[in-house]
């Protein structure tokens, strides 16, 4: 998956806002709202942890894809997108983890 794939998927997700929940899984999530979307993010994170504990490499990839996908839905729900996250990661480039941590404590 390239940055482009993330951006294209985000555009599809955005296009599902107000769509028919019977026709689209993403439209169904938007229709159900914040609690359902955040619950899915939590579930997918847990499934990833369980796959990682089992050490199943392909399952780890599969569950990470589910987590990234549902995170994109959550971002869209809050009026954000993958570019916002990519910008934040780019901002951190070159900072050591310790510098990043120190900056956070100042906020
Ligand atoms: N990448 C995904 C994607 N990954 C996972 N899923 C769905 O996420 C759900 C995963 O949840 P679970 O594993 O918990 O399975 P489940 O118990 O059946 O899920 P729930 O119904 O309980 O939520 C499944 O229903 C998958 O189909 C996805 N659904 C859609 N996409 C992308 O989103 C696009 C738009 O999808 P629609 O809105 O359905 O057209 C698609 O073209 C895809 O590119």
């Amino acid at each position: 998956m390239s940055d482009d794939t993330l951006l294209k998927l985000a555009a599809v997700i955005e296009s599902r806002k107000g769509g028919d929940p019977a026709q689209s899984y993403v439209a169904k999530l938007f229709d159900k709202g914040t609690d359902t979307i955040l619950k899915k993010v939590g579930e997918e994170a847990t499934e990833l942890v369980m796959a990682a504990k089992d050490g199943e490499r392909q399952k780890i990839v599969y569950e990470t894809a589910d987590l990234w996908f549902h995170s994109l839905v959550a971002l869209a729900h809050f009026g954000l997108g993958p570019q916002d996250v990519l910008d934040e990661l780019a901002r951190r480039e070159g900072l050591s983890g310790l510098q990043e941590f120190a900056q956070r404590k100042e906020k």
Side-chain angles (χ1 to χ4, degrees):
M1 184 188 253
S2 66
D3 291 1
D4 193 42
T5 307
L6 281 178
L7 297 175
K8 280 189 201 160
L9 178 54
V12 172
I13 289 169
E14 196 64 37
S15 76
R16 296 300 197 257
K17 285 185 176 172
D20 181 357
Q23 300 292 326
S24 152
Y25 176 74
V26 177
K28 189 174 84 175
L29 287 177
F30 283 138
D31 185 60
K32 288 196 168 179
T34 306
D35 286 356
T36 297
I37 292 168
L38 297 183
K39 188 161 169 266
K40 287 305 295 181
V41 172
E43 284 174 8
E44 301 304 345
T46 302
E47 285 172 19
L48 169 56
V49 170
M50 289 184 333
K53 283 277 193 183
D54 292 342
E56 290 180 50
R57 291 166 53 84
Q58 192 48 48
K59 192 115 196 295
I60 291 169
V61 171
Y62 184 90
E63 298 299 348
T64 300
D66 274 357
L67 178 58
W68 284 19
F69 165 71
H70 286 90
S71 297
L72 289 176
V73 174
L75 284 169
H77 181 66
F78 289 104
L80 296 162
Q83 194 60 55
D84 296 293
V85 179
L86 294 170
D87 289 348
E88 173 61 16
L89 290 173
R91 186 190 67 77
R92 296 179 192 180
E93 267 178 8
L95 289 176
S96 76
L98 292 176
Q99 283 172 322
E100 171 60 22
F101 183 67
Q103 282 187 356
R104 275 186 208 192
K105 277 173 65 174
E106 284 164 17
K107 282 180 191 165

